C-alpha cells in the first residue's frame, strides 16, 4: 500500500505458505523467536534485525469482536488476503509475480477510497478496532470511506467498548497526527464520541461573540488542521475549549461568555489523558497547553513565559494559540501572524542566552555561601528571588548587582528574625 502511494514503508510484513515449523527449518542457521506463534508468526533475526514472517491463514469466528477464536493455516494466499480489513491492505507483492491484488486495492487507492474486503458489516463485526483503523486511515491519507462501510461502522460503534484502552489510544493518536483529523471528526462525531465522550458537550454548544463566527464545536474543528503535526499540540487544540459547555453564561441578547473555561478544560484534558493511559510527559504537556491557551503573551512578558515553560513547550503553546486564533472570526484570525513573530523573537532570545533559569544567573549558591549565606531553604529562596528580578527586568543579570540585592535581602531577613 505505502509503496504504491509513493510513501517509504516503515516496516515490511512477510507472509508465506510455509508453516511455522517449516519457516524455522529454512532459517535453522540464524536465531528465531516464537513471538507470535499462536497466530503463525515467527520472528527471524537477520544481522540483528527482526523480520516477522507469518503463515497464510484463515480465521475462525470472532466471538469477542477483537480476535478470532482460532486460526487455520492454509497454503492459499487468496484465503489469507480475503480475511484482511480493507482492500488497500489486502494486496501482496512477489519478487517474480509482482502485485497480487484480488480485491481492487489499487483502484480504491486511486479513488482515495477506504473499502472493506467483502461485507463491511462482517469485517467490523469480526474486529471493532477496524472502525477506528478506518478513521485513522481516512485522516492519515485524507481518504473517503465507502458508504456501506460508513453505515456498518455507525451500526457497530458500540462494540468499540470491547476494545482495550491502549489499542484505542494508539489509533486515536495516529488519527490526530494525520493530514486531516478535523475532517474526520466532522464526518464521524458519533463514532469518535464513543471513545472520547469528553468532547460530546461541545457539539451544538452556542458561541455568540464578536470574536467568533463558529459555535464551539466548529471552532474546535477548525483548529487542529491549523496546528503543527505534534501530538501534544493536536490534542490540546482538540480539548482547549472542552470546558466551555460547562461554563457558558448567556447575556439577555444571547451573547455568550465562558469565564474560567481554560481551567475547566485543563481538568477535562487531565482526566482524559489519564483515562486513555497516555504517557506522563504527553499528559503534562497537553494539560499545560490547554491551561494556558488563552493567556495573553507579548513582548512585555515573553521572558517570564519562556522561563516558566522552557522554549520547547513555549513553542508548542504558541502553536496552539496560533491554531486557536486562526479559528476565530476573520478580523481576529488575521492577527495570528503576530504569534509567529513572537515565537521567532522567543527563539532569538534563547539563542542569545537570555537569562531564563537559575543556571543562567550571574551568581550561584557557592558565591552566596562565600558571602555569608548558609546552605538551606533561604539560600534557594534567594536565588529564585534574584531570578524573578532578572526576568521581570527589575535588575540586570550582573554579578555585582545581584550580589548586592542578595546581601540586602539577607540583611532584611536577619533583622526580621531579631524582631
Amino acid at each position: 500500500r505505502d509503496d504504491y502511494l509513493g510513501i517509504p514503508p516503515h516496516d515490511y510484513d512477510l507472509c508465506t505458505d510455509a508453516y511455522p515449523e517449516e519457516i524455522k527449518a529454512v532459517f535453522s542457521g540464524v536465531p528465531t523467536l516464537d513471538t507470535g506463534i499462536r497466530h503463525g508468526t515467527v520472528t527471524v533475526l537477520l544481522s540483528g534485525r527482526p523480520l516477522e514472517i507469518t503463515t497464510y491463514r484463515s480465521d475462525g469466528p470472532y466471538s469477542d469482536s477483537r480476535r478470532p477464536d482460532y486460526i487455520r493455516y492454509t497454503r492459499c494466499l487468496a484465503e489469507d488476503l480475503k480475511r484482511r480489513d480493507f482492500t488497500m491492505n489486502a494486496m501482496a507483492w512477489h519478487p517474480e509475480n509482482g502485485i497480487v491484488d484480488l480485491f481492487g486495492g489499487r483502484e480504491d487507492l486511486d479513488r482515495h477510497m477506504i473499502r472493506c474486503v467483502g461485507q463491511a458489516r462482517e469485517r467490523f463485526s469480526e474486529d471493532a478496532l477496524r472502525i477506528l483503523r478506518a478513521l485513522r486511515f481516512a485522516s492519515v491519507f485524507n481518504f473517503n470511506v465507502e458508504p456501506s462501510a460508513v453505515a456498518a461502522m455507525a451500526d457497530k460503534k458500540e462494540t468499540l467498548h470491547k476494545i482495550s484502552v491502549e489499542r484505542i489510544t494508539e489509533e486515536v493518536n495516529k488519527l490526530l497526527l494525520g493530514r486531516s483529523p478535523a475532517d474526520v471528526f466532522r464526518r464521524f462525531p458519533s463514532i469518535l464520541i464513543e471513545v472520547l465522550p469528553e468532547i460530546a458537550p461541545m457539539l451544538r454548544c452556542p458561541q455568540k461573540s464578536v470574536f467568533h463566527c463558529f459555535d464551539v464545536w466548529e471552532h474546535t474543528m477548525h483548529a487542529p488542521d491549523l496546528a503543527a503535526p505534534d501530538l501534544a499540540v493536536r490534542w490540546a487544540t482538540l480539548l482547549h475549549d472542552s470546558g466551555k459547555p460547562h461554563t457558558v453564561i448567556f447575556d439577555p441578547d444571547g451573547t455568550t461568555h465562558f469565564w474560567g473555561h481554560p481551567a475547566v478544560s485543563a481538568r477535562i484534558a487531565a482526566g482524559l489523558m489519564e483515562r486513555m493511559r497516555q504517557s506522563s510527559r504527553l499528559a503534562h504537556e497537553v494539560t499545560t497547553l490547554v491551561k494556558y491557551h488563552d493567556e495573553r503573551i507579548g513582548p512585555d512578558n515573553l521572558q517570564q513565559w519562556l522561563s516558566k515553560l522552557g522554549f520547547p513547550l513555549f513553542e508548542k503553546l504558541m502553536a496552539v494559540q496560533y491554531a486557536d486564533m486562526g479559528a476565530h472570526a476573520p478580523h481576529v484570525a488575521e492577527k495570528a501572524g503576530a504569534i509567529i513573530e513572537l515565537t521567532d523573537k522567543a527563539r532569538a532570545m534563547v539563542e542569545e542566552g537570555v537569562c531564563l533559569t537559575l543556571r543562567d544567573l550571574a551568581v550561584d549558591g557557592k558565591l552566596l555561601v562565600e558571602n555569608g549565606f548558609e546552605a538551606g531553604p533561604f539560600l534557594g529562596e534567594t536565588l529564585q528571588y534574584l531570578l524573578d528580578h532578572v526576568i521581570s527586568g527589575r535588575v540586570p543579570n550582573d554579578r555585582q548587582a545581584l550580589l548586592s540585592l542578595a546581601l540586602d535581602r539577607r540583611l532584611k531577613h536577619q533583622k526580621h528574625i531579631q524582631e
Side-chain angles (χ1 to χ4, degrees):
R1 180 198 67 216
D2 287 357
D3 186 67
Y4 186 79
L5 291 172
I7 302 171
H10 65 85
D11 67 356
Y12 295 86
D13 297 329
L14 278 80
C15 55
T16 175
D17 60 2
Y19 287 6
E21 296 77 12
E22 295 171 316
I23 296 173
K24 288 192 281 188
V26 169
F27 291 97
S28 59
V30 297
T32 61
L33 303 172
D34 293 346
T35 48
I37 200 69
R38 287 182 56 218
H39 303 288
T41 300
V42 175
T43 299
V44 177
L45 297 177
L46 290 178
S47 302
R49 296 182 61 185
L51 187 66
E52 292 187 350
I53 306 176
T54 304
T55 303
Y56 300 159
R57 76 185 207 204
S58 61
D59 294 341
Y62 289 71
S63 58
D64 64 353
S65 297
R66 182 64 190 99
R67 295 180 178 84
D69 296 341
Y70 57 84
I71 64 170
R72 295 190 185 95
Y73 298 142
T74 176
R75 301 289 190 183
C76 178
L77 174 60
E79 286 294 313
D80 186 85
L81 294 179
K82 76 178 184 180
R83 69 180 179 82
R84 306 285 174 160
D85 50 7
F86 311 116
T87 59
M88 64 180 182
N89 296 333
M91 300 187 297
W93 177 83
H94 188 278
E96 296 176 1
N97 302 327
I99 291 181
V100 179
D101 180 13
L102 305 179
F103 305 100
R106 285 172 292 182
E107 180 182 352
D108 288 332
L109 287 174
D110 292 340
R111 296 191 302 145
H112 293 185
M113 184 66 67
I114 298 169
R115 183 167 62 89
C116 291
V117 175
Q119 294 296 317
R121 188 175 300 275
E122 185 177 347
R123 295 288 82 79
F124 293 124
S125 295
E126 291 170 344
D127 184 356
L129 189 65
R130 288 171 174 169
I131 298 172
L132 291 183
R133 280 171 58 82
L135 300 188
R136 184 245 293 186
F137 288 130
S139 174
V140 170
F141 297 127
N142 196 21
F143 279 12
N144 293 314
V145 183
E146 191 268 334
S148 68
V150 172
M153 289 160 57
D155 185 57
K156 294 291 182 180
K157 64 184 180 180
E158 292 183 1
T159 60
L160 286 168
H161 298 290
K162 298 182 179 181
I163 306 301
S164 71
V165 67
E166 290 84 1
R167 298 304 299 274
I168 289 173
T169 298
E170 181 181 4
E171 291 298 330
V172 176
N173 283 349
K174 291 178 179 178
L175 187 163
L176 281 173
L177 287 174
R179 298 182 196 174
S180 54
D183 182 58
V184 172
F185 274 84
R186 278 195 190 94
R187 286 188 287 154
F188 304 99
S190 64
I191 293 174
L192 288 162
I193 284 171
E194 289 291 331
V195 295
L196 298 173
E198 294 87 350
I199 68 174
M202 288 191 288
L203 277 169
R204 293 176 293 279
C205 180
Q207 185 167 233
K208 183 179 178 182
S209 164
V210 295
F211 305 109
H212 286 278
C213 55
F214 305 116
D215 64 14
V216 172
W217 176 261
E218 193 56 33
H219 163 75
T220 299
M221 291 304 99
H222 273 74
D225 286 351
L226 295 173
D230 174 272
L231 190 56
V233 172
R234 288 281 174 88
W235 268 114
T237 55
L238 179 65
L239 300 173
H240 75 283
D241 280 350
S242 58
K244 279 189 172 180
H246 306 280
T247 58
V248 61
I249 296 175
F250 294 91
D251 283 347
D253 64 355
T255 299
T256 54
H257 304 281
F258 305 97
W259 294 311
H261 82 271
V264 177
S265 298
R267 288 198 295 271
I268 292 171
L272 187 150
M273 291 291 106
E274 182 178 6
R275 180 180 64 76
M276 297 192 75
R277 300 177 188 172
Q278 300 276 18
S279 70
S280 57
R281 176 177 179 176
L282 180 64
H284 167 71
E285 289 190 352
V286 171
T287 304
T288 302
L289 295 175
V290 172
K291 179 180 179 181
Y292 296 133
H293 80 271
D294 216 24
E295 292 286 340
R296 188 199 68 79
I297 302 175
D300 60 318
N301 62 0
L302 184 56
Q303 192 170 352
Q304 288 95 316
W305 280 100
L306 280 172
S307 177
K308 183 182 184 71
L309 300 178
F311 182 74
L313 190 55
F314 173 85
E315 185 176 32
K316 292 182 181 184
L317 179 59
M318 291 295 95
V320 172
Q321 290 201 353
Y322 176 85
D324 181 21
M325 184 174 288
H328 277 64
H331 71 280
V332 178
E334 67 184 11
K335 301 176 183 177
I339 294 177
I340 297 176
E341 296 176 3
L342 194 63
T343 306
D344 291 340
K345 181 177 177 63
R347 184 181 294 106
M349 290 174 64
V350 172
E351 292 173 352
E352 292 168 4
V354 171
C355 182
L356 299 174
T357 69
L358 292 175
R359 293 190 302 272
D360 303 325
L361 278 177
V363 300
D364 57 18
K366 180 180 178 181
L367 179 64
L368 295 188
V369 169
E370 292 173 353
N371 282 270
F373 279 77
E374 295 182 2
F378 183 71
L379 174 62
E381 293 168 3
T382 299
L383 288 170
Q384 185 61 51
Y385 174 82
L386 298 179
L387 178 63
D388 292 342
H389 275 64
V390 171
I391 290 174
S392 64
R394 285 174 285 178
V395 65
N397 189 24
D398 173 79
R399 175 186 172 101
Q400 192 56 50
L402 292 175
L403 183 58
S404 297
L405 184 61
L407 292 174
D408 182 62
R409 185 172 192 266
R410 175 172 168 268
L411 180 61
K412 291 178 181 178
H413 177 69
Q414 290 175 335
K415 290 181 177 179
H416 177 73
I417 292 176
Q418 292 174 353
E419 293 174 357

